[in-house]
Amino acid sequence: DPLWSRGLGDVYKRQVQDNCTDAKLQAEHQRTVRQQEKKVAERQRELDEERREGKPSKVAKRQEKLDEAQAELARLRKAAPH
């Protein structure tokens, strides 16, 4: 491999080792989960508002968006790095 023969492989390997630690991956994952939790809360507020306003067509749309956000949150929690 030409990259390895020029010594760039060592540079890339060192960058991966420095930037992809378990702690960094865990922290990034937790940040992603928190962002998704906020999105779920926002979708719930939007749904609650539409229910209060009594707009059935919008309630269904908001419920679908909430369901999607909750499914993504569940997927993220299940995929938590160890």
Side-chain angles (χ1 to χ4, degrees):
D1 186 346
L3 292 177
W4 291 105
S5 64
R6 292 186 303 214
L8 292 176
D10 292 334
V11 171
Y12 294 139
K13 183 177 178 183
R14 207 168 29 256
Q15 286 177 342
V16 167
Q17 289 170 342
D18 291 346
N19 295 315
C20 293
T21 64
D22 287 343
K24 287 181 181 180
L25 291 173
Q26 181 69 25
E28 176 67 28
H29 182 74
Q30 287 302 316
R31 187 170 62 243
T32 303
V33 168
R34 284 191 305 274
Q35 288 172 341
Q36 190 64 27
E37 288 171 339
K38 289 178 184 178
K39 187 173 186 176
V40 166
E42 179 183 336
R43 298 288 187 237
Q44 184 65 59
R45 281 190 299 275
E46 292 170 349
L47 175 61
D48 293 344
E49 183 178 329
E50 294 298 345
R51 284 184 175 153
R52 279 192 303 278
E53 293 177 8
K55 299 177 181 176
S57 62
K58 290 192 175 187
V59 168
K61 180 181 174 184
R62 296 294 185 188
Q63 182 65 57
E64 184 178 327
K65 287 190 175 279
L66 174 60
D67 292 345
E68 290 171 3
Q70 288 173 328
E72 177 63 12
L73 179 58
R75 185 193 68 76
L76 287 169
R77 285 181 173 159
K78 187 176 181 181
H82 303 292

